[in-house]
Amino acid sequence: MKKLLAVTLGILTAIGGFVDIGDLVTNALVGARFGMRLGLVVLVGVIGICLYAEMCGRVVAVAGRPVFDLIRERLGRRTGLLTLIASFLVTLLTLIAEIGGVALALELASGVQYLLWVPLAAFAVWLVIWRVKFSRLETVFGLMGLLLIVFAVALWKLGPDWGQLMHQATNPRPIGHETWATYGYYAIALFGAAMTPYEVFFFSSGGVEEKWGREDLITARANVFVGFPLGGLLSLAIMGCAAVLYLPVGIQVDTLAQVTLPAAVALGKLGLAIVLIGVFAATFGAALETALSCGYTIGQYYGWQWGKFVRPRQASRFHLVMIICLALSILVLLTAVDPVKVTEYSVVFAAMALPLTYLPILIVANDPDYMGENRNGPVTNVLGLVYLGLLLVASIAAIPLMIITKGGQ
Amino acid sequence: MSGRVLHAQLHLRDRQLIDQRNGRLLGKVDDVELDLEADPPVVTALITGEQRIPARLIAEIDTAVKISNEGLDLDHWDDWFERHIIDKIPGAGDKAD
């Protein structure tokens, strides 16, 4: 059991990348419009994040340094600052969306308008960060988020034509009136979400919070190879449900209620109850992940005392950053901006942040001074370079595609 | 002074400063002060923010730089925010820590 609980950091991290509020809607939207024809992108994303998160975990276990330490050290003060600004803005925008997501999940469950839930949701996130131990937080929200497996059960219960879903998955191209531009736009959105920078910030900082040492190399790997594939699986299950239920009748998905409907259709009230708790846990978990990552990135760039392994008063600036970010989230959401739309804008900053985040990881994972005999092997390096290329292409194409397709319309 | 050969850009600049005594994180090495008269040039101090850390306080240079935090004021801002904001919120931790 203890071994099982040791992988919850990976699971919670993956939830932020694959099934946070933006992804829940994007996965279902993509399933409704393209069937499983973009499923391959999720697979490519899972491999990419596994590759780089494994490197981060190894660097933490061997050298004890989290990702933003590496970014500052290898890119220097100026380029490091640029990376900080871009990745901080992605993370903050996502945090805003997640607080909105928690409120939307509460609205679905209670019928009370989500704006009323916003301050409460933000306060609850702060309270957990302020008081709850890191390992507890990771276990509770990691495991609760796993309730989203209900989408996989729902897909199976819907009794789809598996051959047809497979056929879609192995024919990765747009259909009907969809263009290559919209296909490419959503491919980048899915790939970018799978490799979103705050995953490695949170994962590596979490490793430091858990005080990983050399003896934890296996734990670090287990977290990576259990957590991220699970996240990818949930993502594909949501896409599959929408492909079965919405694609044949041509329904467009743009609300959280539509995302959760397949579970209700397949499994009735119980299914709906489970999916609502799952969505709440996943968005709350992603809110914790992004709020903490806001503190981690700034703290690590400036070298401040950060982390939940010390008391709040010993890491005062770290906690202050998170309080300010959560207060900002409330203010932005109370303007009644659509929380789901907010994540779409974060693509712009993600485009800048992605290559600059992953390059220093690859460099340091090869540095014999840091890594000794645990440095990258040739296969990891070739794959790492291929993915760096993919990230670069994605980051260059993201903004033009967003403009051409008017945000995927 | 020990005679370890260092690449100032690679081994010192932008590294994390850690208090050797208690592991507290104390900032980043923003710049390095060198004595170029000496042959070979030697590191005389590390600069972080407005503070100058004389080389004699450097205890260990690894993936981070450990120093002995004596006569330095590296906790200034962390203490300031602690006193004026964080400490006023219930549950911020014991004063004794």
Side-chain angles (χ1 to χ4, degrees):
Chain A
M1 192 63 192
K2 205 165 174 215
K3 283 238 167 68
L4 195 75
L5 292 180
V7 298
T8 49
L9 174 63
I11 295 172
L12 180 56
T13 310
I15 282 173
F18 289 93
V19 287
D20 74 346
I21 183 68
D23 301 322
L24 284 166
V25 178
T26 305
N27 285 319
L29 180 151
V30 163
R33 278 173 61 170
F34 299 91
M36 295 306 283
R37 287 178 182 81
L38 276 158
L40 214 57
V41 177
V42 175
L43 193 68
V44 172
V46 167
I47 295 171
I49 189 66
C50 280
L51 184 72
Y52 273 93
E54 192 277 330
M55 286 185 224
C56 297
R58 190 151 32 92
V59 172
V60 168
V62 174
R65 310 262 43 100
V67 167
F68 229 91
D69 267 29
L70 311 181
I71 292 176
R72 164 85 195 252
E73 208 211 288
R74 290 296 141 143
L75 298 182
R77 198 153 43 148
R78 283 192 187 174
T79 316
L81 186 62
L82 184 74
T83 314
L84 176 69
I85 294 168
S87 54
F88 180 79
L89 286 174
V90 183
T91 314
L92 180 62
L93 283 177
T94 315
L95 170 63
I96 294 171
E98 301 315 326
I99 301 285
V102 175
L104 282 174
L106 290 169
E107 178 186 84
L108 275 182
S110 68
V112 177
Q113 222 250 349
Y114 84 96
L115 283 175
L116 293 172
W117 289 110
V118 163
L120 205 69
F123 180 75
V125 168
W126 171 76
L127 201 62
V128 170
I129 289 174
W130 187 250
R131 292 301 294 177
V132 180
K133 261 176 61 180
F134 190 87
S135 55
R136 175 70 52 84
L137 154 175
E138 157 202 311
T139 311
V140 170
F141 290 96
L143 292 183
M144 266 171 71
L146 282 185
L147 287 176
L148 289 180
I149 286 177
V150 70
F151 278 112
V153 180
L155 179 60
W156 175 69
K157 278 283 257 186
L158 285 172
D161 180 347
W162 293 103
Q164 198 196 354
L165 289 182
M166 210 52 207
H167 177 77
Q168 292 171 357
T170 48
N171 285 282
R173 63 179 75 99
I175 38 147
H177 61 280
E178 301 288 356
T179 62
W180 274 104
T182 51
Y183 186 87
Y185 175 77
Y186 283 109
I188 288 175
L190 289 174
F191 182 62
M195 298 202 69
T196 187
Y198 57 80
E199 283 177 288
V200 283
F201 302 150
F202 182 73
F203 186 66
S204 66
S205 306
V208 177
E209 299 262 19
E210 299 269 299
K211 301 190 168 66
W212 283 351
R214 268 172 201 277
E215 65 284 2
D216 298 304
L217 272 169
I218 294 171
T219 312
R221 288 216 170 103
N223 269 283
V224 169
F225 294 117
V226 172
F228 295 106
L230 252 171
L233 188 75
L234 297 179
S235 167
L236 287 175
I238 294 167
M239 201 185 278
C241 283
V244 172
L245 209 62
Y246 298 129
L247 179 67
V249 284
I251 294 176
Q252 298 273 332
V253 174
D254 51 14
T255 67
L256 191 58
Q258 288 172 302
V259 178
T260 56
L261 188 64
V265 171
L267 303 160
K269 272 193 178 149
L270 181 67
L272 185 63
I274 296 175
V275 90
L276 284 180
I277 301 171
V279 168
F280 170 79
T283 48
F284 201 96
L288 291 171
E289 178 176 346
T290 44
L292 282 163
S293 293
C294 285
Y296 289 146
T297 48
I298 293 196
Q300 287 161 15
Y301 175 85
Y302 287 107
W304 300 340
Q305 179 66 56
W306 56 269
K308 285 183 54 52
F309 54 92
V310 294
R311 291 177 188 284
R313 68 195 304 273
Q314 292 175 299
S316 56
R317 284 176 288 188
F318 168 70
H319 278 276
L320 186 63
V321 166
M322 294 188 288
I323 291 171
I324 293 171
C325 289
L326 284 164
L328 263 175
S329 306
I330 299 177
L331 290 179
V332 171
L333 286 165
L334 290 185
T335 63
V337 59
D338 180 354
V340 177
K341 284 273 183 304
V342 172
T343 45
E344 284 178 16
Y345 300 121
S346 74
V347 171
V348 180
F349 301 108
M352 273 197 292
L354 281 171
L356 287 174
T357 300
Y358 288 98
L359 176 66
I361 300 172
L362 185 62
I363 296 174
V364 169
N366 274 292
D367 187 331
D369 255 14
Y370 268 79
M371 301 303 292
E373 60 187 23
N374 292 107
R375 63 182 179 275
N376 278 358
V379 178
T380 313
N381 277 335
V382 169
L383 280 172
L385 283 172
V386 168
Y387 270 91
L388 215 53
L390 281 177
L391 287 166
L392 204 62
V393 171
S395 77
I396 294 168
I399 297 170
L401 278 178
M402 187 169 163
I403 296 167
I404 292 169
T405 64
K406 297 193 179 78
Q409 283 161 25
Chain B
M1 172 147 295
S2 69
R4 189 170 162 204
V5 178
L6 291 170
H7 191 300
Q9 182 80 24
L10 262 184
H11 287 115
L12 287 171
R13 272 270 293 268
D14 297 304
R15 291 233 166 167
Q16 180 70 46
L17 288 166
I18 299 180
D19 190 331
Q20 162 204 33
R21 198 165 34 106
N22 53 19
R24 266 187 72 83
L25 306 175
L26 298 173
K28 294 278 171 173
V29 179
D30 290 321
D31 215 336
V32 178
E33 191 183 283
L34 298 171
D35 179 1
L36 294 170
E37 306 278 288
D39 185 40
V42 291
V43 173
T44 49
L46 304 176
I47 311 293
T48 177
E50 304 288 299
Q51 299 266 322
R52 184 178 174 278
I53 305 162
R56 64 181 165 79
L57 294 179
I58 301 174
E60 190 189 332
I61 296 169
D62 195 1
T63 57
V65 179
K66 290 195 176 139
I67 57 169
S68 54
N69 187 11
E70 287 162 23
L72 300 168
D73 187 22
L74 297 171
D75 287 324
H76 181 80
W77 287 109
D78 222 53
D79 287 345
W80 193 90
F81 285 111
E82 179 187 331
R83 271 199 314 278
H84 289 89
I85 301 171
I86 297 297
D87 244 5
K88 303 203 189 300
I89 307 170
D94 303 331
K95 294 254 187 229
D97 295 334

